[in-house]
Amino acid sequence: MCAATVAGVDSSTQSCKVVICDAATGEILHQAHAPHPDGTEVAPQAWWDALCTAGAGLLEHVDAIAVAGQQHGLVALDAEGRPVRDALLWNDVRSAAAADELIAELGGPQAWADAVGSVPLAAFTVTKLRWLADHEPDLADRTARIMLPHDYLTWRLRGGPSVEPTTDRGDASGTGYWSPADCDYRKDLLALGFRGRTPELPRVLAPSEAAGRTPSGVLVAAGTGDNAGAALGLGIGDGDVVVSLGTSGTVFARAAAPSADATGAVAGFADATGAFLPLVCTLNAARVLGYAADLLGVELAALESLAAQAPPGAEGLVLLPYLSGERTPNLPHATGSLHGLRPETMRPSHFARAAFEGMLCNMAEALDHLRARGTGVRRVLLIGGAARSPLVAEIAAQIFGVPVTVPQPIEYVALGAARQAAWALSGAAQPPTWPARTAAEVPVPSEPAIGRRIRAEYQRAQGDLYGRSGAGIATPAPRRRRRRRGHE
């Protein structure tokens, strides 16, 4: 008898990744990927096309499949199951003003934290519904169903319009209208966000519950959001905090009880196992290094070599890396800025070092928010594209002040989805135990004062630019955008 195999899909912002694993051992047997279009709004069909391309010749032969997808994205469908417009992605900040309106309308941040464990920001689905209702009311009127990206792909795998849409508690917890504490939709908040409209929502499945089968008979598991998928793929435990350095950055940990942070910094999400996943997100992570390399006209490997030539702290040169606005701190209209320019710091090596340190100081600020909410930090697991750099791990241990574990460079979101598929296939009470995959362990440096000094310089630059108070960092006014011919 052949061993059972499972497929895990990571439908991320940039691409679709597929891994095929042995269901019992987690051994990765095959991998494939296909790109997604750029932009902050994308036709859902493009995700399906990428999944079909990446999964061609692979998905037909597995026993079970699960999809983990980018969180928050708004997929609005009409009564026939057709998208009424391109999906608005998590990183589309046009709904920032809608978030402010919704917070005020419910009675403030604490009311939202009590209701759904999170205070909505521009990323959340409920704010995108408000934007759609106010700016495209005809399309809002046509909207009969709301899905998230992973819901849409799971639905398409099972046959599309003729089947009931499903989701899971991990992804549902990022909408702003589902309560992790009560494990139920808040349709009053859905109606608040969508100006009285209450379209159909997917049924929320239990973590190991199957959504159904593909037309060819492959079991389809519940699926989940990308961060919950990564947590499942890593098998995190108590004291483990994951710092993911993709295009955006996330910091999250597993918790036994739901959280409700009225500051809005910590999102009170659910995970893919029945527990909870307090999470802090930044808009800027690995992209900071990519843009720094472009500015200097070098490859990423050369950027790392340059950064290694500068001393820790880059002699006071500080990059605030808010290149695409920022979510934490909540600065949707901010831009990046460089501080501490002097003759001795105006060097490519110092700028390169400031890019690495700025990215990681921003993630350290996010980590501090989790600590402030009671999360114990025994070690940091560093994942994502930028985690493959040895210098990133070295600086991370210095700035975070805790040991850093760098798992092998594997697609952990897709691996977590595969593990969930194996769980649903087995019918067991707990997910299968798959081995940890560690590539490097970086201890806390012997001179912790260096990391503290880097953080202090970074926070001083924040204060100089935005001002700091007990309420956080003030949000600058939006800048007027220039019209560019051919792009409007």
Side-chain angles (χ1 to χ4, degrees), residues 320 337 339-340 456-468:
L320 296 183
S337 54
H339 302 254
E457 291 285 350
Y458 183 87
Q459 291 169 345
R460 185 176 297 113
Q462 283 182 321
D464 289 346
L465 191 59
Y466 295 114
R468 296 179 68 90

Side-chain angles (χ1 to χ4, degrees), residues 217-234:
V218 176
L219 185 76
V220 181
T224 192
D226 51 3
N227 294 295
L232 191 58
L234 289 162

Side-chain angles (χ1 to χ4, degrees), residues 278-294:
L279 179 146
V280 182
C281 180
T282 73
L283 287 182
N284 300 282
R287 74 169 83 218
V288 176
L289 303 185
Y291 288 135
D294 289 346

Side-chain angles (χ1 to χ4, degrees), residues 37 43 78 210 212 338 379 427 456-457:
D78 65 16
L338 198 60
R379 65 168 178 166
E457 291 285 350

Side-chain angles (χ1 to χ4, degrees), residues 432-482:
T433 301
W434 288 356
R437 297 166 163 90
T438 300
E441 301 276 3
V442 183
V444 177
S446 57
E447 298 183 42
I450 295 175
R452 291 195 293 268
R453 188 181 75 242
I454 295 170
R455 288 290 307 281
E457 291 285 350
Y458 183 87
Q459 291 169 345
R460 185 176 297 113
Q462 283 182 321
D464 289 346
L465 191 59
Y466 295 114
R468 296 179 68 90
S469 68
I473 300 176
T475 303
R479 295 177 303 132
R480 294 185 63 184
R481 296 183 179 273
R482 291 182 180 178

